[in-house]
Amino acid sequence: MVILNPEIDERLVAPNLEKFLKVITNDGGTIDSLDIWGRRRLAYEIEKKTEGVYAVVNFTATAEATQELDRQLKLSEQIMRTKVLRAEDAIAMVASEKERSDAKAARKAAAPAKAPKA
């Protein structure tokens, strides 16, 4: 996942990311998908900005190419944040979060309703 500076035009996000993704393709890796979510509100301010342009990239590459991509993304002034996850780790993280939310919902449903105070 990449969060870009909100001042960049959303039409230029894909071409800008393509420059960085050449690191992957030049090393023999593949770009499986590039999903641009667009401008979203950040959970907290980054560099005094409250919004960012989100993009999710799924790719297959060597560890060295992935490290080089992450290094180049962090050097760019247009990129505010990056997060690289292995697919297995991301799937496990989503599954554990779902289990946690399901358990919370079950506890909430099982808890007796509080009686109103008189």
Side-chain angles (χ1 to χ4, degrees):
M1 175 169 275
V2 179
I3 303 175
L4 293 100
N5 190 321
E7 295 164 2
I8 189 171
D9 185 2
E10 289 186 38
R11 293 175 298 203
L12 300 176
V13 172
N16 280 329
L17 286 177
E18 292 294 332
K19 291 187 296 187
F20 294 110
L21 296 177
K22 284 185 182 179
V23 170
I24 300 297
T25 55
N26 289 344
D27 193 46
T30 59
I31 306 302
D32 303 326
S33 69
L34 173 58
D35 187 16
I36 299 172
W37 291 3
R39 191 177 310 270
R40 302 279 174 107
R41 185 161 185 78
L42 300 172
Y44 53 90
E45 280 189 9
I46 300 174
E47 299 171 8
K48 299 186 180 182
K49 293 179 177 46
T50 58
E51 291 185 330
V53 178
Y54 283 71
V56 177
V57 181
N58 290 318
F59 61 88
T60 305
T62 63
E64 294 80 19
T66 303
Q67 288 174 341
E68 178 61 18
L69 172 67
D70 197 34
R71 185 187 75 79
Q72 288 186 15
L73 288 171
K74 287 180 180 177
L75 290 175
S76 173
E77 292 181 12
Q78 293 177 339
I79 308 295
M80 293 173 23
R81 285 286 190 278
T82 63
K83 181 70 173 180
V84 178
L85 293 174
R86 293 178 60 105
E88 300 88 25
D89 296 343
I91 292 168
M93 192 181 308
V94 169
S96 68
E97 181 60 31
K98 180 166 177 18
E99 281 181 23
R100 193 175 69 80
S101 65
D102 289 347
K104 184 178 178 181
R107 283 193 306 271
K108 190 173 183 179
K114 293 184 180 180
K117 294 184 180 179

